[in-house]
Each structure stands twice: as structure tokens, then as C-alpha cells.
Amino acid sequence: MLTITFLLVSVICVTFSVRANDWLTLKINGVEGSLERNVKAHLGALPESSVQRRAFIFNAEDNIEAAMHSMGYYHSRVSQNVINNEKRAWVLNLDIDAGKPTLISWVDIQVKGEMRNDPIFEKWLSQLKVRPGDRLNHGVYEDVKAQLLTLALARGYFDGKFDQAEIAVNRDFNTAKISLYYDSGKRYHIGKVSFTGSNLEPQILEELVPFKYDAPYSTGNLAQLNRQLLDTGYFSNIKVLPLVDQVEGIQVPVRVELSPRPNHSIELGLGADIGNTVDNSLEPRVRVTWRTPQINKYGHSQETTAEWAPDKPKFLTTYTIPLTHPLDDQLKIRMGMLRDKYGVTQVYNSEDRDFKNTGQLESSKMLFAVIRQQRLQSKWLFNYSAEIMRENYTQSGVDYDPRFVLFGTSLSKTTRGDNSLDPKSGFFQFYSLEYADPSLGSEVRLARLQTKFKWINTFFDKHRIVSRLDMAANLTSEGSLANIPPSLRYFAGGDQSIRGYSYNELGPSIDSVNDEGEIIREVVGGRYLMVGSLEYQYYVTPTWRVATFVDAGNAFDVNQIELVTSVGAGIHWISPIGPVKLDVGIGLNETDTISRPWRIHITMGAEL
């Protein structure tokens, strides 16, 4: 029985049958794969009348010969047999003997003119996949010609033409020579760039032009201009139009047509955090964002966000002023009021001889910050800032209300292997330093150091590694720790830290006694942070992958160092707006305040 099945499958593989209609059933034997598809394409649609049927059968052999020639088979033979059924569809049997293929013996591509020394042309030429010894394919030849013409036009060689473009076939020896001789002529340059449809100061628009006047023409330059204009957020529609018909000498003028965004936009967001609190409750969220993309002709903009969640309301507004460059040099003025929760608070139950969760460390914060953000020529993002903040919180039964004036600077850089939302490789690095001093208006002296790294690489197309490392330290005196507010301390846990644990629930704890004589244990955060992660991802399909990971580290203090580790797995969907990840993390350690947990983490967005 197994042998019969195998033979039936073999026959099906070598015999192709087009679905029958009322007039003709077509059966093709002897070819498969790309040859089979090409024959089908040349034969065309099945007939729908007796007249069309006669024409289809009459022209079948010629059409098959043309299909075989286009794929490099010049010695093919076709045998056809027609079964005339009076009351049913006729049957056309086609047996094709492809014969020996024609192989390419020589590929001669020559370019003269300015394009000859263009490094982009040299790169294209080095990546061509047509080589001597390949089977001749006229479609591939036409594709190479089209690529060369497209490249020439994209690089500004508008006068280019082929001096020779041919395939010389020697049917006796089954060989072919490809000759492509292209004269590119001179390369045109980009002339004056003019803008219409915007009331911004001309100097702001001119700063967004990423190339100099009279730069060599390339569609890459024009695409970069389009991206720069899009990234400002000022415009809803952008058209960058090279005016090739208005060339002056060798300069091509460029007209940019702009359509401003609406003066105001309001965005409403509804959501919930599930299992992201110490009591695993459902926490609804409502967010309203108001944006004004362009306030005046100088390009000022503002974004204001108000968010409501139980016990965690937030309000933040940022006013942005372009300085020497609309994108690469900005002054940001930020004001905000927010309430947040940290760690875990527990009370000792003498009957159960165990600690029970009663809440978290709560704080209310007001801030005002001035930040200058610059993108350097080396692609580093450089920030320096001054921030005034005041934070209220109660710790160990004592109320605190410290004020800080933080002066800070940071450097960061992101390198991507590609521009997709799911890059195959990349590296992110971040370094920051903040300083506060009583002589400058702060409660205590404090130096904050932070560094973050993330590395991504893909091996053999389907195997992807993602690793990250976060380290931080608060340098201050021992007696000043309680006066450092929770928002400036370090905690661990959550989908961007140690999965399997709730957000910010890990860190050093302290014990105290409240007014009722109960023992209170609070996770209050640490002076230091070290968290690392290693994740392996495998692409099952281009849009789905599975992952497994291990996260480790913690926030700690000099006298409280406790390594916490979690492992887990997940499934990721590479959506059009970025990866959507569902990960399950399992904590391998119990701490003084947390039993061995597990968590489901759902996240969305690019990893770099």
C-alpha cells in the first residue's frame, strides 16, 4: 500500500493539470517549477468558446516555444494530442521535452561617462547575481537592464543611453553572451530648493535641507529631505518634486509642496494594566493628549498629556523651541505633576506569623525642567538640563518633603542594521550624570550615574539574540538616604527589567514599627541597580517568532545585596506598527517581601 501511494504522488508531481472548464482541459507533462509557470503564462487563459478553443490549440506550440526560448531552452520539442469529446470539454495533452539549456559564457557590462566612477554603480555591479555558467534567462537580462536604467536616473544621469544591449546566442554550442554598453553622460546637480504652503520662517525650512546647493543629484538626497520635513511633525502632506523639465545648465530645481497639520489635535487613549500591581488588580487608565504642532512661524510646539489611573494621576506639558536646527537642536521646557507608587508595603500578622501586603510607597511630585537636546554630527544625542522638583512621601511613619535642583547631562546613541521596526541588528548605549548640592538649592548632596546598553544580532536569518544591561548608582552620604525621594531611587521588576515580577516591586527593604505597634516592612529602593537580560528568538515565519529568556539582577544597597533571577518564554507577532510580545516570566527566587511569582507581560513597540 505504501509503494502504490508513493507512485501516485510521483505521477502527480510530473503531471500538471489546469482546472477544466466547459471547453478545454489542459494537461502539461515534462516541465515543472519556473518552466511550468512560464509555459502557463505564455499559453494564457483557457478558452471560453469554440472559436477561442481552436485558436488556443492552434497557437499552443508557438506559445510554448516562446516560453522555452525566454528561459534559455532553444532545442525543446512539443508533442500535443487532442481528445475530442462531443458532450464534454476537450482534452489537450502537451508533452514537452525541454532539451539542453543555454548557458551564459560571458557577461560584458561597460559604462562610460561620469557614472563610471560612481561608487554606488560599483557597489551595484559587485552585487549582480548574473554570472558565467548560469542558465540564460531573458527575464533576468531585462531586469538587469532595468536596474541599470533605474540606478542611472536615481543618481542624476538623465542623458544616459545604451550604445549596445544584446544577447548573442550560439545554438550549436548552447551558449550565450550578454553585452550591455551604457553611456551615462554627465551627472546633474541639485539646484535651488523652493518651498510652498508653509508660513514658517524661511531659515527654518532651509536648515532642514540635508545637502548643499549644487550637490550631485540623487533620489536618496531628496528622500532624506522628505524624512527631515516629516520628522518635524509640522506637516500632514509633503511632496518633493524635482523639476527635470526646468533644468538650468546641469542644475535641477526642486519644489517642495507642504500642507500644514491642523492647529490642534486631541488624542484619547483607554487601557488597563493587568497584574502590574502587588495585589494583581486590574488598573484602568485614561489618557488625553493635546498637541499643537506649530504655534508660530518660529516652529514652536507643545504637547500636553493628562492621565488618570487609580492613585496614579499624571499631568505633563512640554514646550519645544527650535534653536540652531529644528530637529537637531531644541530647547524643551517641561512642567508636570504626578503621583506614583513604588515597592511593596507589608504588615506583620502575628496570628499567621507572616507579612501581608497592605500597599506601596506613595509619592506626589511636582517638577519644572529646562532641557537642551542636540544631535551631534557623529549621531550621538547630547542633552544637558536643569530640573527643580519637590516630592512628598511617607516612609516608616515619617513625612518627607525634599526639594532638589538637579543639573544633568546625558549621551546616547542608537545604531540600527536597518530602518525597520524590527531591526535584524543594532546597538543602543546611554550614559547620564546628574548632580544636586545643598549650596545649589537641594536637600542633600547627590550624584546619580546611569548607563544602559542593548545589543541585537541575527544569525542565519532566523536566530536572533537580544541582550541588555542596566547599571546605576546614587552617590550620597549614609544619613541622606531617607531624604532621596522614591523617584530618584532604584527599583527592579517589570517587563523592561526582571520579568516575572511586578513593576518596581524589587529592591532593599526596611522594617519599622507604626503607632499601633505593628511591624511594617517596606521596599524603599536602593542606591544601586544592576539588571541584565539574555533572550533568544526564533522566527517561525517572517511575522511570528518564539522566544525564551533569562533576566537577573536587582536594586540593592551596601548591606542588602540579593540576586533575583527569572526565566520565561513568549510568542511575538511582528505587526505593521511594531512587535507585539506576549511573555510569561517565572521568578526563581523568593525575597523577604515576595513569594516565588509568575507574570504575563504584554508589550508593544520596537526594541530599539
Side-chain angles (χ1 to χ4, degrees):
M1 185 64 182
L2 289 175
T3 305
I4 294 173
T5 303
F6 177 77
L7 290 174
L8 287 174
V9 171
S10 300
V11 172
I12 292 171
C13 288
V14 297
T15 303
F16 166 78
S17 178
V18 177
R19 183 179 58 85
N21 66 3
D22 293 336
W23 297 97
L24 186 67
T25 298
L26 181 63
K27 294 183 179 180
I28 302 174
N29 305 309
V31 293
E32 59 184 11
S34 58
L35 272 178
E36 175 189 293
R37 292 191 294 271
N38 201 42
V39 167
K40 288 166 54 182
H42 277 74
L43 287 172
L46 290 174
E48 297 181 355
S49 68
S50 61
V51 175
Q52 290 182 7
R53 181 172 59 193
R54 286 195 299 270
F56 187 97
I57 295 172
F58 180 79
N59 294 316
E61 189 170 345
D62 290 341
N63 288 334
I64 292 172
E65 184 179 1
M68 301 302 289
H69 284 183
S70 69
M71 299 291 285
Y73 291 88
Y74 289 92
H75 302 290
S76 61
R77 289 192 294 269
V78 181
S79 175
Q80 63 181 43
N81 177 39
V82 180
I83 301 175
N84 186 338
N85 295 317
E86 294 183 359
K87 296 182 179 181
R88 292 181 298 167
W90 290 11
V91 178
L92 175 60
N93 289 301
L94 295 171
D95 293 309
I96 303 174
D97 179 5
K100 290 186 177 181
T102 298
L103 302 181
I104 299 173
S105 62
W106 186 261
V107 180
D108 187 13
I109 300 178
Q110 298 182 19
V111 170
K112 64 180 181 180
E114 293 185 15
M115 189 175 179
R116 181 175 182 177
N117 299 317
D118 193 325
I120 301 299
F121 165 71
E122 294 177 1
K123 181 180 179 181
W124 171 82
L125 194 60
S126 67
Q127 294 176 347
L128 271 183
K129 296 182 179 180
V130 179
R131 296 286 187 270
D134 293 348
R135 177 171 55 81
L136 177 65
N137 186 319
H138 287 257
V140 173
Y141 163 76
E142 293 296 337
D143 186 51
V144 170
K145 278 182 60 180
Q147 286 181 28
L148 183 53
L149 283 172
T150 301
L151 178 64
L153 292 174
R155 301 291 290 172
Y157 302 100
F158 299 125
D159 299 331
K161 65 181 187 302
F162 280 104
D163 291 335
Q164 183 177 334
E166 66 177 18
I167 301 175
V169 177
N170 187 326
R171 299 195 183 192
D172 294 334
F173 293 97
N174 293 317
T175 60
K177 295 182 179 180
I178 295 177
S179 300
L180 291 174
Y181 299 163
Y182 188 75
D183 183 359
S184 70
K186 59 189 176 183
R187 185 178 184 183
Y188 285 76
H189 289 208
I190 300 177
K192 181 181 178 182
V193 179
S194 58
F195 297 89
T196 62
S198 172
N199 63 350
L200 285 168
E201 282 287 310
Q203 183 179 356
I204 294 177
L205 294 172
E206 290 167 6
E207 289 290 343
L208 291 167
V209 179
F211 46 81
K212 295 181 179 180
Y213 175 80
D214 201 34
Y217 181 94
S218 77
T219 53
N221 277 337
L222 300 185
Q224 189 177 357
L225 171 59
N226 189 86
R227 283 194 302 270
Q228 292 266 76
L229 293 165
L230 187 65
D231 289 345
T232 63
Y234 296 144
F235 312 109
S236 61
N237 191 36
I238 302 165
K239 293 181 180 178
V240 180
L241 306 172
L243 306 178
V244 180
D245 57 340
Q246 299 180 22
V247 170
E248 300 174 0
I250 62 168
Q251 292 180 338
V252 181
V254 176
R255 182 173 72 240
V256 182
E257 299 177 357
L258 303 169
S259 300
R261 286 186 181 272
N263 291 337
H264 303 279
S265 68
I266 294 178
E267 181 181 287
L268 177 64
L270 302 174
D273 279 347
I274 303 173
N276 207 27
T277 58
V278 293
D279 55 1
N280 294 326
S281 61
L282 175 68
E283 188 176 80
R285 290 182 180 273
V286 179
R287 175 182 291 177
V288 178
T289 303
W290 167 41
R291 294 186 181 91
T292 309
Q294 183 186 331
I295 294 174
N296 53 36
K297 65 179 182 178
Y298 303 107
H300 295 196
S301 62
Q302 72 83 27
E303 179 175 307
T304 301
T305 299
E307 183 177 306
W308 176 87
D311 302 320
K312 293 183 181 181
K314 296 180 182 179
F315 174 84
L316 188 67
T317 183
T318 303
Y319 191 93
T320 303
I321 303 171
L323 296 178
T324 60
H325 190 279
L327 293 174
D328 297 341
D329 189 5
Q330 298 177 333
L331 183 69
K332 296 179 180 289
I333 302 171
R334 185 168 294 158
M335 294 181 291
M337 296 180 290
L338 57 151
R339 189 184 302 163
D340 215 335
K341 294 183 177 182
Y342 304 86
V344 182
T345 301
Q346 299 177 328
V347 173
Y348 183 74
N349 188 314
S350 57
E351 294 181 0
D352 298 335
R353 296 184 179 183
D354 196 8
F355 282 90
K356 302 295 183 182
N357 291 352
T358 60
Q360 296 177 271
L361 177 60
E362 299 183 12
S363 78
S364 297
K365 175 180 173 181
M366 294 187 295
L367 66 89
F368 175 83
V370 179
I371 308 158
R372 185 170 185 180
Q373 178 178 293
Q374 293 178 294
R375 188 176 303 278
L376 309 179
Q377 289 186 350
S378 57
K379 304 303 181 182
W380 285 90
L381 195 63
F382 174 52
N383 288 354
Y384 53 95
S385 61
E387 179 181 336
I388 302 171
M389 57 170 285
R390 191 160 195 162
E391 192 162 343
N392 303 305
Y393 56 98
T394 300
Q395 180 177 308
S396 302
V398 179
D399 295 331
Y400 293 90
D401 185 22
R403 184 182 67 180
F404 278 80
V405 180
L406 286 165
F407 297 92
T409 183
S410 69
L411 270 174
S412 64
K413 186 176 184 179
T414 302
T415 305
R416 297 171 180 267
D418 54 72
N419 292 322
S420 68
L421 293 173
D422 186 51
K424 298 299 181 185
S425 62
F427 181 56
F428 167 75
Q429 49 188 321
F430 170 85
Y431 312 90
S432 76
L433 169 65
E434 294 175 288
Y435 181 73
D437 196 281
S439 63
L440 299 173
S442 296
E443 191 79 16
V444 297
R445 182 175 291 108
L446 171 67
R448 304 186 77 233
L449 295 87
Q450 297 183 77
T451 182
K452 299 179 182 181
F453 303 97
K454 179 172 276 191
W455 175 77
I456 297 174
N457 210 345
T458 302
F459 304 92
F460 308 112
D461 294 332
K462 292 186 177 182
H463 305 271
R464 191 170 187 252
I465 299 294
V466 178
S467 62
R468 56 179 165 84
L469 176 64
D470 296 348
M471 297 183 293
N474 279 346
L475 306 181
T476 189
S477 62
E478 186 70 28
S480 301
L481 290 177
N483 288 298
I484 297 175
S487 66
L488 297 182
R489 303 174 195 169
Y490 300 112
F491 297 82
D495 53 59
Q496 299 300 314
S497 180
I498 302 177
R499 285 163 284 191
Y501 297 86
S502 288
Y503 175 68
N504 277 355
E505 75 172 347
L506 295 173
S509 62
I510 59 174
D511 292 348
S512 62
V513 179
N514 63 14
D515 295 339
E516 287 76 29
E518 298 172 312
I519 299 176
I520 305 298
R521 177 168 289 170
E522 296 174 287
V523 173
V524 296
R527 277 190 282 187
Y528 308 103
L529 176 73
M530 181 176 290
V531 173
S533 174
L534 182 64
E535 181 168 332
Y536 167 73
Q537 301 169 350
Y538 176 77
Y539 287 86
V540 181
T541 71
T543 56
W544 287 94
R545 69 183 179 220
V546 292
T548 183
F549 59 84
V550 56
D551 300 337
N554 208 343
F556 55 94
D557 226 321
V558 175
N559 57 347
Q560 280 188 310
I561 302 175
E562 186 173 12
L563 178 67
V564 172
T565 305
S566 73
V567 297
I571 183 168
H572 304 168
W573 172 46
I574 316 304
S575 76
I577 58 174
V580 179
K581 300 185 286 186
L582 188 151
D583 295 321
V584 178
I586 300 173
L588 300 183
N589 306 86
E590 294 186 358
T591 70
D592 290 341
T593 54
I594 302 165
S595 299
R596 180 173 170 176
W598 67 277
R599 286 285 188 279
I600 295 175
H601 300 277
I602 300 176
T603 56
M604 183 174 67
E607 288 167 310
L608 284 179

